Amino acid sequence: VQLQASGGGLVQAGESLRLSCVASGFSLEHYSIGWFRQAPGNEREWVSCIRSGGDEPYYIDSVKGRFAISKDTATNSMYLQMNSLKVDDTAVYYCAAAPHSWWCHPLIATRIATTDYGTDYWGKGTLVTVSS
């Protein structure tokens, strides 16, 4: 049972990347999903999530309008499309999943990011480096 993230790399500011995260051993269909990131010297922070019921996604303010989260139950995968990347987006990105709809909400995102609260699965990170 695991989440496997991929798609990171080195890009220039303004370019795009698409992160993927494949689930194995369980189905993402009834899970809330999210992406988090940790920049060098910083705590892990929440980036985006979608509730298990497929409601509108949430995003941290700094990525609104540039990032898009999605889930594909046919491939049991989740994605993070990242456009107009900035140097400040440089970080290791992690995917995560939880069997609770309440898990996806900005009000508890910090608690989840720093304590794994309510989270069943974390993927190993994929490094995104954005150069100026």
Side-chain angles (χ1 to χ4, degrees):
V1 178
Q2 65 174 357
L3 291 172
Q4 182 64 51
S6 62
L10 172 63
V11 296
Q12 292 189 326
E15 295 183 338
S16 299
L17 275 176
R18 187 191 194 207
L19 304 184
S20 301
C21 181
V22 180
S24 59
F26 72 103
S27 173
L28 286 177
E29 182 175 2
H30 301 296
Y31 275 73
S32 296
I33 60 168
W35 288 93
F36 298 74
R37 67 186 180 185
Q38 186 167 19
N42 291 352
E43 287 190 329
R44 188 167 59 191
E45 70 172 354
W46 166 79
V47 176
S48 178
C49 64
I50 299 180
R51 292 181 177 177
S52 55
D55 296 342
E56 287 294 312
Y58 293 98
Y59 298 95
I60 193 172
D61 285 348
S62 61
V63 308
K64 284 181 180 177
R66 300 188 298 120
F67 288 14
I69 188 173
S70 61
K71 179 169 64 173
D72 186 343
T73 55
T75 60
N76 210 26
S77 301
M78 53 194 285
Y79 304 96
L80 186 68
Q81 177 67 41
M82 306 186 295
N83 300 326
S84 302
L85 281 162
K86 303 177 180 180
V87 173
D88 287 348
D89 295 320
T90 295
V92 177
Y93 283 72
Y94 300 89
C95 52
H100 322 287
S101 60
W102 55 257
W103 179 86
C104 173
H105 196 283
L107 289 179
I108 63 169
T110 297
R111 182 177 179 184
I112 293 170
T114 57
T115 68
D116 299 346
Y117 178 64
T119 308
D120 273 14
Y121 306 111
W122 285 96
K124 293 184 179 180
T126 184
L127 176 62
V128 173
T129 304
V130 185
S131 63
S132 60

